[in-house]
Amino acid sequence: MSMMKRMSMIFRAKANKALDRAEDPRETLDYSYQRQLELLSKVRRGVADVATSRKRVELQITQLEQQAAKLQTQAEKALQMDREDLAREALTRKSGLNQQIADLQTQHAQLQGEEEKLVLAQQRLQAKVEAFRTRKETIKATYTAAEAQTRINEAVSGIGEEMGDVGMAVQRAEDKTAQMQARAGAIDELIASGALDDVTSTGPSDDISRELDAMSSQSDVELELARLKGISAPQAPGQLGAGDAGAADPLSKQTQAEGETPR
């Protein structure tokens, strides 16, 4: 196969496929119905033309018959007046008119037969057009219903082009959400384990530091409390004993209490 033939075949195949996608059966049916109506209109005009010609022939026959009757009367009068020559001429003219009348009657019969055929064809075509119109409307309604059902089924099943795009968008959003949730959970675990520092926190960065800070804060509170107690207790001059010395030194008491803590 030559290159040109292959290109021509490919072009025709693609053009046919494009036409199939672009073709709407409802529009095609409407166009076919319109063409049939145009054909029916032409047949009706043909019937009217034949009927007009037949009527014209009938009028001509009537006029010739009237002329022939007049010549017959004139011939009779000429014979009554002993004018045989005039009577002969009148009868000769009448004979020519009779021949024309016979020809017109033959033509009239042909036109009448043609008119009857066209009328019958018109009636048959009219019946076919009406039947086609009924079938066309039925096919259009069925196609419209099938098209709507197909779109509904595609929307429900998600296999339609638009619904497929929506489904892909939802899937991408779900994947990104799951990825972000996994990332956030992993970061929380790393912060809790101490592998990562929480830059938003102003406190200690690990458990040991937090414990040391808590102990230092508690020791400062106890020292301040003991100092306040020593200032508020009334003391007489020269009455400081061993017990008072211990009370005056809250730090040593706290140290002793910590040393006496049972193990």
Side-chain angles (χ1 to χ4, degrees):
M1 183 180 294
S2 64
M3 182 65 68
M4 293 299 298
K5 289 183 178 180
R6 289 183 61 188
M7 292 178 61
S8 178
M9 182 178 295
I10 292 173
F11 177 78
R12 287 197 300 268
K14 290 185 177 296
N16 186 41
K17 186 175 181 180
L19 288 175
D20 288 338
R21 288 197 303 266
E23 182 181 9
D24 190 342
R26 292 165 295 189
E27 296 178 354
T28 303
L29 290 173
D30 289 337
Y31 178 74
S32 299
Y33 178 68
Q34 185 65 32
R35 293 296 302 272
Q36 292 185 14
L37 288 179
E38 294 176 357
L39 179 60
L40 180 60
S41 178
K42 290 181 179 179
V43 173
R44 288 174 176 172
R45 287 196 298 269
V47 173
D49 293 340
V50 173
T52 301
S53 299
R54 176 184 56 80
K55 191 64 176 177
R56 186 181 298 110
V57 171
E58 289 179 356
L59 292 175
Q60 291 178 356
I61 292 174
T62 302
Q63 292 176 357
L64 292 176
E65 287 177 346
Q66 292 175 355
Q67 293 177 8
K70 182 178 179 180
L71 290 172
Q72 179 66 30
T73 303
Q74 290 175 348
E76 293 175 355
K77 288 182 179 181
L79 286 175
Q80 292 175 1
M81 297 175 64
D82 295 331
R83 293 293 306 270
E84 185 177 347
D85 56 339
L86 292 177
R88 187 184 301 275
E89 182 65 24
L91 293 176
T92 301
R93 292 182 180 183
K94 177 185 175 183
S95 177
L97 292 176
N98 289 335
Q99 184 63 40
Q100 293 182 15
I101 291 173
D103 294 340
L104 289 175
Q105 287 177 345
T106 302
Q107 185 178 358
H108 179 271
Q110 294 176 353
L111 290 173
Q112 189 172 6
E114 188 69 22
E115 181 181 357
E116 292 176 355
K117 291 180 181 179
L118 287 176
V119 170
L120 182 59
Q122 175 189 346
Q123 293 174 352
R124 291 177 178 176
L125 182 58
Q126 178 71 35
K128 289 184 178 180
V129 170
E130 291 297 329
F132 180 80
R133 184 182 67 84
T134 302
R135 186 179 180 186
K136 172 181 72 72
E137 295 299 329
T138 303
I139 294 175
K140 286 175 61 178
T142 304
Y143 181 85
T144 302
E147 184 181 30
Q149 186 64 38
T150 300
R151 290 181 178 178
I152 292 173
N153 291 338
E154 288 180 351
V156 172
S157 60
I159 63 174
E161 183 177 355
E162 296 180 0
M163 296 305 297
D165 295 338
V166 173
M168 293 178 62
V170 172
Q171 183 64 39
R172 289 193 299 269
E174 290 178 349
D175 292 342
K176 289 184 178 180
T177 302
Q179 183 179 0
M180 293 301 295
Q181 289 177 344
R183 183 177 178 85
I187 293 175
D188 289 340
E189 292 180 358
L190 291 174
I191 292 175
S193 64
L196 292 177
D197 293 335
D198 187 359
V199 297
T200 62
S201 175
T202 58
S205 59
D206 54 15
D207 294 340
I208 296 175
S209 299
R210 286 194 294 270
E211 186 175 357
L212 291 174
D213 291 343
M215 291 177 61
S216 177
S217 177
Q218 184 178 4
S219 177
D220 293 339
V221 170
E222 294 296 334
L223 289 174
E224 182 66 18
L225 181 61
R227 187 181 65 80
L228 293 175
K229 287 182 177 180
I231 295 174
S232 61
Q235 296 179 358
Q239 294 183 355
L240 292 176
D244 295 334
D249 190 0
L251 181 58
S252 61
K253 289 179 66 179
Q254 181 180 0
T255 305
Q256 293 175 2
E258 292 177 355
E260 295 175 357
T261 301
R263 296 180 179 177

